[in-house]
Amino acid sequence: MHVSFDFWNTLFTSNPAFKDQRLQLFKSRTGASVEHIEHTFSTVGSWHNNQVLLKDGLALTSPALCSLAVSILGAPYQEHSSLISDMEKLFLEYPPLPTGSQTVKEWRSRAVSASILSNTTFISGAVIRSFLLSENAEFDFMIFSDELGCGKPHAKAFQQILLELSLIGVADQNQRIVHVGDDPNFDSSPIENIQSVFL
């Protein structure tokens, strides 16, 4: 059996210390209020998830989304790259926390092979992958929406699981494939031979 896992709020949840440090970073570099920063990130993230991903099936890159938020906050364009880089460093300094979900543990123990299929917003798949490698997390492959150009619940995102399985030579027509996630809006597979399970 192959089991695919969502990353955010399934395997890991955001570290509150990271969010606090991110607020302080953007406040010190843009002069914006905490309220304005929180509202901006919330609005841009919600627009991307509910309009771009859910309605259009597309996924913007994390730098593009960050740059949009930074522009709204009034930072000069020439500072965008350094702000994004500093935010990514904070993410690795204050890494996500494991959810400790019993459902995740049960499915992980039953998996012969395992992968990640996750949407991204402000933290790129490359940075999440770097974090997971530092944790010695064992996954056969990882699929992130910003790298694929589309995300869950689009069929192409789930089809990528089948493609990756064939590339690593473990594809089997009769193999059971399960995707474990936390949000039926995004983690419901439209692919007939991929079953979705929710926390």
Side-chain angles (χ1 to χ4, degrees):
M1 174 177 16
H2 179 82
V3 182
S4 162
F5 294 95
D6 174 45
F7 180 82
W8 290 112
N9 300 318
T10 300
L11 293 175
F12 291 88
T13 187
S14 186
N15 189 331
F18 164 70
K19 290 186 174 181
D20 291 342
Q21 292 295 322
R22 184 178 71 174
L23 278 173
Q24 294 310 311
L25 170 68
F26 282 89
K27 183 180 179 183
S28 66
R29 298 276 287 277
T30 67
S33 68
V34 166
E35 293 77 14
H36 185 33
I37 296 166
E38 287 179 331
H39 178 73
T40 298
F41 274 93
S42 175
T43 301
V44 172
S46 180
W47 166 76
H48 179 253
N49 290 340
N50 296 314
Q51 180 67 37
V52 181
L53 277 171
L54 270 182
K55 288 188 72 176
D56 301 328
L58 303 174
L60 300 180
T61 66
S62 298
L65 286 169
C66 288
S67 196
L68 174 58
V70 170
S71 294
I72 294 170
L73 293 172
Y77 179 75
Q78 59 269 26
E79 291 184 23
H80 288 200
S81 292
S82 65
L83 263 171
I84 294 168
S85 176
D86 288 346
M87 182 186 70
E88 290 173 344
K89 289 174 186 173
L90 285 175
F91 174 83
L92 296 174
E93 189 176 344
Y94 301 94
L97 306 173
T99 61
S101 164
Q102 193 59 38
T103 302
V104 167
K105 291 176 183 175
E106 288 173 4
W107 282 104
R108 191 68 177 92
S109 69
R110 295 164 65 182
V112 173
S113 56
S115 62
I116 288 177
L117 172 61
S118 189
N119 291 341
T120 59
T121 47
F122 300 110
I123 300 298
S124 70
V127 174
I128 295 172
R129 186 180 284 106
S130 176
F131 158 69
L132 287 167
L133 291 174
S134 73
E135 294 287 300
N136 297 313
E138 295 182 4
F139 292 97
D140 294 278
F141 54 87
M142 303 178 198
I143 304 165
F144 296 103
S145 62
D146 65 321
E147 297 172 347
L148 191 60
C150 73
K152 302 174 298 180
H154 196 277
K156 184 180 176 183
F158 287 93
Q159 286 168 343
Q160 191 68 22
I161 297 173
L162 304 178
L163 176 60
E164 295 289 343
L165 284 171
S166 68
L167 289 174
I168 63 172
V170 296
D172 179 346
Q173 273 190 324
N174 299 316
Q175 182 181 27
R176 186 179 182 194
I177 302 173
V178 174
H179 176 72
V180 181
D182 68 300
D183 189 340
N185 289 323
F186 292 96
D187 292 302
S188 295
S189 169
I191 305 298
E192 187 176 342
N193 57 336
I194 300 178
Q195 173 194 354
S196 291
V197 172
F198 304 104
L199 300 186

